[in-house]
Amino acid sequence: MNKPLKFLGGTVLVVAATLGSLALVLSHSSTCPSTTPATALTDTAGTMGAVHQPCYGGPELLLLERLRIPVPADSELLVRVHAAGVNPLDWHYLRGEPYIMRLMTGLGAPDDRAFGADFAGVVAAVGDSVSQYAPGDSVFGSRSGAYGEYLVVRETGGVAHMPSGVSFEQAAAMPVAASTALQALRDRAHVARGDRVLVNGASGGVGTFAVQIAKSLGAHVTGVASTRNMELLQSLGADATVDYTQTDFTQDTARYDVIIDMVGNHAPSALRRVLVPGGRAVLVGSTSTEPFLGPLLGTLRFMAYDPFVDESFMQMFATTKASDLATLAGLMATGSLRAVIDRRFTLTEIAEAITYQENGHSRGKNLVLMP
C-alpha cells in the first residue's frame, strides 16, 4: 500500500474511533439517586412544591420535592406561578435526546435539575434594582423551573407583562411555542402581506400559533393537519386546509411563497415542488427519533440542499426574548392570538403530562396548573 493510501486509511480509523468514543460519552446516562432532598425538609413554612429532574430518563423519574422558596437577587423577580405550559422541549431535556444536546445540558446527568420552561403568574417580590415590575403584577415568560410554585427570573430575561383580560392559562401556553412561530414567520421567512403560507403540522402547539400569526401578518394561510382538526384550523382563521390523511400537499397543484414545516416528513426536494420560484421553507420541527442527532438530521438536509437551489431552505433555533413576548402580549390583547388548550394537569400529574405530550397527538397546548 502506498503512503497516501496508508495516511487516508489511518485518518479514517482515527475519525471513526473519535466519533465512536464521542457517541459512547454522549449516550451514557448516570444512575439516578434513590432518595430525594425533600425528605430532609420538614419545615413547610417558606417552602414550595417543585418538580426536579435528577437524571436522564423517562417521566417516571421526575421528582416532586419540597424546597425553600428562592429569594430574588438585586435584579430579579420572584414569581408565584399559576400555570405552566408543556412543550416537546421538556421531554427532549428529560431524556437527553438527541444525545448531541448533552454537550449543552450535561454529560451523564443534567447540569440544571430545574424542570419546565413556560410560566404565567404574579410577581411576589422584586430585587432592589428592579424598576419595570412590582409585586402584584401579572407576568408570563420562559425560565427553567416553571414546574414549581415559585421561580425567580431576571428583569431583563424572558419575562413580560400579561395583557389585562388574558388568563394565566392562555399566557402560560404562549412563550416557547408562540415565540417559535413568530420568529419563523417574521424573522426567518419574512412573511409579508399577500404571501401564501402553508403550515405543515398546523394543529400542534407551534402550528396553531403559526396559523394565527401568519394571518395577523396579512398572509393567505393553508393549514395541514388530520381530519379531526379541519374545523379547528378554520376556527383559527386558516383560509384553506389540507387533510394529510387524504392528500399529500407536495403532490398538489397549489403553490406557496412560504412553507413553515413543524413535521419534517418531506424531503426538501418535495417541498420545493410546491414553492413559487424564490420561495422560502423554514424547518421548525421534526418527527425523527434517531437518538444521536434527532431533529438535527432534517436541519442538515436543509443546509445541504439550500446552496444548490434558488429557493431558501432554512433551519429554526428559537429563543424566548422579552421583546417578542411583548409582541405576543399585544396580539393577545387585540384578540388576534389565542392558545388552543388540549389538556390540563396538576403538579402531581407531571409524569402523565410529559407522557401525553411525548405521544405527539396534542391539539394545541397542554398545561400544568399549580395548587
Side-chain angles (χ1 to χ4, degrees):
M1 182 182 292
N2 59 38
K3 289 183 178 179
L5 288 178
K6 285 184 178 180
F7 176 77
L8 179 60
T11 301
V12 170
L13 288 175
V14 169
V15 171
T18 301
L19 291 177
S21 299
L22 179 62
L24 287 174
V25 170
L26 292 178
S27 61
H28 169 71
S29 295
S30 301
T31 303
C32 265
S34 58
T35 60
T36 80
T39 57
L41 193 60
T42 57
D43 181 12
T44 58
T47 68
M48 66 173 187
V51 174
H52 274 184
Q53 175 188 356
C55 54
Y56 293 125
E60 71 281 357
L61 300 176
L62 290 170
L63 303 176
L64 178 56
E65 304 175 332
R66 295 300 304 181
L67 304 172
R68 296 291 180 187
I69 295 174
V71 176
D74 193 51
S75 59
E76 291 180 334
L77 326 173
L78 175 67
V79 178
R80 172 66 165 96
V81 178
H82 286 251
V86 186
N87 294 291
L89 192 66
D90 295 334
W91 63 262
H92 279 297
Y93 273 112
L94 175 60
R95 295 191 180 277
E97 295 179 7
Y99 295 141
I100 193 70
M101 71 184 291
R102 298 187 182 191
L103 291 172
M104 297 178 292
T105 61
L107 298 178
D111 294 331
D112 184 2
R113 291 181 52 176
F115 196 57
D118 288 352
F119 69 88
V122 175
V123 176
V126 299
D128 290 340
S129 67
V130 172
S131 60
Q132 300 177 59
Y133 300 91
D137 287 351
S138 294
V139 296
F140 74 118
S142 184
R143 176 73 167 88
S144 63
Y147 296 135
E149 295 175 287
Y150 289 86
L151 58 73
V152 290
V153 59
R154 288 183 298 109
E155 180 182 26
T156 57
V159 63
H161 288 281
M162 283 173 50
S164 61
V166 171
S167 70
F168 291 117
E169 290 190 6
Q170 282 287 309
M174 294 280 168
V176 168
S179 292
T180 300
L182 176 66
Q183 292 169 24
L185 290 158
R186 182 195 62 191
D187 303 336
R188 299 296 283 159
H190 301 292
V191 170
R193 183 168 298 278
D195 278 349
R196 299 182 67 85
V197 175
L198 179 134
V199 180
N200 185 27
S203 62
V206 179
T208 52
F209 292 132
V211 169
Q212 298 172 80
I213 294 172
K215 286 298 297 179
S216 75
L217 294 172
H220 179 282
V221 182
T222 298
V224 181
S226 63
T227 308
R228 73 186 183 112
N229 292 311
M230 294 296 99
E231 289 186 8
L232 169 63
L233 298 186
Q234 292 165 7
S235 73
L236 296 175
D239 300 285
T241 57
V242 176
D243 181 349
Y244 69 75
T245 69
Q246 304 295 322
T247 304
D248 180 351
F249 73 87
T250 67
Q251 302 296 324
D252 210 350
T253 57
R255 296 293 179 266
Y256 305 95
D257 299 284
V258 172
I259 295 174
I260 304 295
D261 191 355
M262 252 67 69
V263 186
N265 58 343
H266 294 284
S269 57
L271 298 180
R272 186 184 179 218
R273 283 199 296 268
V274 291
L275 283 172
V276 301
R280 293 92 73 197
V282 181
L283 182 64
V284 176
S286 170
T287 56
S288 173
T289 57
E290 195 280 326
F292 284 92
L293 293 176
L296 290 177
L297 286 175
T299 296
L300 294 175
R301 283 196 292 267
F302 265 46
M303 292 175 65
Y305 190 72
D306 179 71
F308 300 100
V309 295
D310 293 332
E311 293 71 32
S312 296
F313 286 81
M314 299 169 280
Q315 69 281 357
M316 180 70 207
F317 299 102
T319 57
T320 307
K321 300 180 290 187
S323 57
D324 286 346
L325 293 172
T327 298
L328 298 175
L331 291 172
M332 285 190 281
T334 61
S336 301
L337 186 65
R338 67 177 176 88
V340 175
I341 307 300
D342 187 350
R343 294 192 182 182
R344 298 166 176 84
F345 300 86
T346 66
L347 199 57
T348 58
E349 296 171 327
I350 186 64
E352 292 91 331
I354 301 303
T355 298
Y356 182 70
Q357 181 72 49
E358 189 175 6
N359 286 338
H361 298 294
S362 298
R363 302 178 75 207
K365 295 285 296 182
N366 301 296
L367 298 173
V368 172
L369 306 181
M370 300 301 151

